[in-house]
Amino acid sequence: MRKNLMKKILCEFIAAALCTAFTVSEALIFASEDIAANMVSITSLTITGSIALNGDEELLFPYSLKPDNVFEGESYYTQLDEISKDFYELFYSSYKKGGHGNSVDVLPVLKKHNKALYDDEKTISAEIYSHIYSGFLALAADHPELSWISFTTFSLPLEILGIDGYEITSAKFKVTDGYTYGTVDEISGAVEEAKGNIKADGSRYELVKSIHDYICELTDYNHTAVSANRPTGYDTGWYQTAYSAFYAVSANKETEIRTVCAGYSTAFKVLCDAYGIPCVTVRGKADSGERHMWNYVKMENEKWYAVDATWDDQTENTGKIFYDNFLVGENTPTAYDLTFSDRHINSGYWETGNRYLFSYPELSEEKYAVGDIPDPDPAPNPDKGQIKLTDETGDTGIVIIAEKDVIEENTTLKVEEKEADPEKPNRISYDITLVLNGEKVQPNGKVTVKIPVPEAFAGKKCRVYYIEVKDGAKNPIDMNAVIEDGFLVFTAEHFSEYVVAYDDNPPIILGDVDGSGTINDRDSIQLDRYLAEWDNEIDIAAADFNTDGKVNDRDSIALARTLAGWYE
């Protein structure tokens, strides 16, 4: 009597895509129990692991990624080998509409690539684990809008016929419903609501900036999620998904939208994807050693630039959005005399076993310059491109950049620098005018304005104000200019009088140790370094946080506790 014995192998993969607090656990392979039965073994095997960032060790498995792997195109999909690409595409088509609990038949993919027959069971676990895991990693990175596949459990039960070898006869991949991070409708609704608030009628720079600002204004950083003192049962997994940057997490009884760096970066990519802007998430560590996540964005000049919305979001502490980490290059100076790449150390190892080394786009060396766009091709659309106007009446160095449908081609720029007021040496006024055919005109939309930082104002905290005349009164409107390559850069829709000024006697902001105008972890670090007798300069008056007339460890402790949210 012929005996056909089937054996089942259950493979469970725990995908915990954490950023600031990754679970670090090596893949565990439990010993199999071999039972002799007519020369056929019945084996029970369980594999568990985590999608966790860890170290830079030697690559253990040579599967799944291309040899001499480099970033190509605009996604991580291109770095997979052919079988992993097929798994990626199969999982995407199966789960892009939701589908916790959906069972996906992966046997056709295994057979297509001759991966259904094996000589030993160890090869089965290693190869299939490798191809599925790498495909799933790339899918989660390329499509963070699929928040329901993040930080969840998935399994692959196999049925194997074990006679003179091992033949896989059934393979059903399944994402279980241990966690549910939003639904297709919720994520789609969040994107549509964002589009209603994001200004998309300007250049790519304006659009990326609007996405960056929208996320910073919508959410705040969740210090509780990364604190060792968080409440028992507090679910940190929510904050590793884009969902948490759009919705308050009711499971933790929170009413405000809060997230961590993973939420900021994945939400930023979701919105960039919605507008067709090439963007990737980048994982690694901050210079402090903490795990971190940020983005690279591809601009019109075909170069990639970094964006860290997490660090730029200072709305909770100061009510302001910063641009220190917005469209910067690897050599762009940031805080503490360190470059962006000094403070952001990326790693392509996305899980604890260090089996797969993903590559990132080559980051530009320098910060993106507004208007740094290649000359447009004259055909087939000769109207495509931008107009750049320079001051024709003086030597102010003011530049205006606009799309051709915003300013007509024959328009000229005239700037009159008004006579300085001896009693107000901290301000310079300009009368900016656009002229077409001898007549003053206004732009038909937004334009980018670049005003050189006056030499006498170098090192000052300068602002640009538009002087609006209304009911006979002059009202200064802050244009929120940023300093780029020696210019004060902002967008405008109307021209008349503009003023560049700095505050002669800025108020003391207790805790603003580095004098940046805001209070954050950088101030705490600078104060600690000063107290440790490092050779760094601080604002002594601002460092006296408890106002006792001394700068010592008590100020450092009080500042650190305030930043940690212990008290106002």
Side-chain angles (χ1 to χ4, degrees), residues 223-231:
H223 297 280
T224 303
V226 298
S227 171
N229 299 319
R230 58 181 174 266

Side-chain angles (χ1 to χ4, degrees), residues 95-107:
Y95 294 110
K96 65 182 178 181
K97 295 183 180 180
H100 274 297
N102 287 357
S103 185
V104 182
D105 186 3
V106 300
L107 186 59

Side-chain angles (χ1 to χ4, degrees), residues 421-462:
D421 185 344
E423 295 183 0
K424 298 178 179 178
N426 63 320
R427 58 183 291 168
I428 298 176
S429 297
Y430 300 97
D431 191 356
I432 303 176
T433 306
L434 296 179
V435 179
L436 178 63
N437 300 325
E439 300 289 336
K440 290 184 179 181
V441 296
Q442 295 293 345
N444 182 31
K446 290 185 177 181
V447 301
T448 299
V449 183
K450 302 175 68 173
I451 300 178
V453 176
E455 185 175 349
F457 292 8
K460 307 288 186 181
K461 295 178 182 177
C462 299

Side-chain angles (χ1 to χ4, degrees), residues 201-202 206 400-403 405-408 434 442-449 491-495 498:
D201 55 352
E206 290 298 330
I400 291 177
I401 301 170
E403 302 295 329
D405 59 350
V406 175
I407 294 179
E408 295 190 31
L434 296 179
Q442 295 293 345
N444 182 31
K446 290 185 177 181
V447 301
T448 299
V449 183
T491 59
E493 297 181 82
H494 187 88
F495 289 114
Y498 283 80

Side-chain angles (χ1 to χ4, degrees), residues 320-334:
K320 297 179 182 179
I321 296 173
F322 280 56
Y323 299 94
D324 296 358
N325 302 283
F326 178 69
L327 292 179
V328 297
E330 61 179 18
N331 294 329
T332 301
T334 58

Side-chain angles (χ1 to χ4, degrees), residues 370-423:
V370 177
D372 184 15
I373 301 173
D375 293 334
D377 296 330
N381 181 7
D383 293 327
K384 181 182 177 182
Q386 293 183 323
I387 290 177
K388 181 178 180 181
L389 304 180
T390 56
D391 178 12
E392 295 189 356
T393 57
D395 57 357
T396 62
I398 293 177
V399 176
I400 291 177
I401 301 170
E403 302 295 329
K404 286 188 176 181
D405 59 350
V406 175
I407 294 179
E408 295 190 31
E409 286 196 57
N410 295 325
T411 303
T412 59
L413 171 64
K414 295 186 178 181
V415 181
E416 177 187 354
E417 182 177 334
K418 296 188 176 183
E419 186 174 350
D421 185 344
E423 295 183 0

